[in-house]
Amino acid sequence: VQLVESGGGLVQAGGSLRLSCAASGIIVSTRAMGWYRQAPGKQRELVAAINSGGSTNYAGSVEGRFTISRDNTKNTVYLQMSSLKPEDAGVYYCNQRYAFVSWGQGTQVTVSS
């Protein structure tokens, strides 16, 4: 199993980014998948999840600003982030929602105020 995250970068507050998670070894459409964020000095936290049926849920801090989706043909999960805030900064990872597989390298998101 391999998860490869990409799409992070430096953005001004209020800006947008789209993160991608390309998966191999698992079929994302059959799994509950999540995007996780780890800020400096903090524990990794779940920010968004999508289940096999396509239902989504979000952490309260990102509700209404982030959208998780997937492309079954590309076996890829996305996280569209809008109205970014400095507190959204961190390394973003994707993984299964339950029963984690090997973590990828993550993608760094930096938000300047």
Side-chain angles (χ1 to χ4, degrees):
V1 176
Q2 188 174 26
L3 300 168
V4 180
E5 300 92 348
S6 62
L10 171 64
V11 63
Q12 287 188 332
S16 300
L17 285 173
R18 188 176 82 151
L19 308 184
S20 300
C21 171
S24 58
I26 59 171
I27 300 174
V28 298
S29 62
T30 67
R31 312 293 178 99
M33 298 295 296
W35 278 98
Y36 300 80
R37 173 174 68 205
Q38 187 162 23
K42 295 187 178 181
Q43 288 190 332
R44 195 171 296 176
E45 61 174 340
L46 177 70
V47 297
I50 183 168
N51 68 15
S52 57
S55 296
T56 59
N57 60 77
Y58 301 91
S61 61
V62 308
E63 183 84 50
R65 300 186 298 117
F66 289 12
T67 302
I68 187 171
S69 63
R70 64 177 183 236
D71 184 331
N72 297 341
T73 64
K74 296 181 179 179
N75 206 34
T76 298
V77 182
Y78 301 99
L79 185 67
Q80 177 68 49
M81 306 187 295
S82 302
S83 301
L84 282 161
K85 304 176 181 180
E87 53 262 42
D88 294 320
V91 181
Y92 284 71
Y93 304 86
C94 71
N95 209 309
Q96 295 186 155
R97 176 66 182 90
Y98 309 103
F100 296 144
V101 295
S102 296
W103 293 91
Q105 82 289 348
T107 187
Q108 176 74 51
V109 172
T110 304
V111 184
S112 63
S113 57

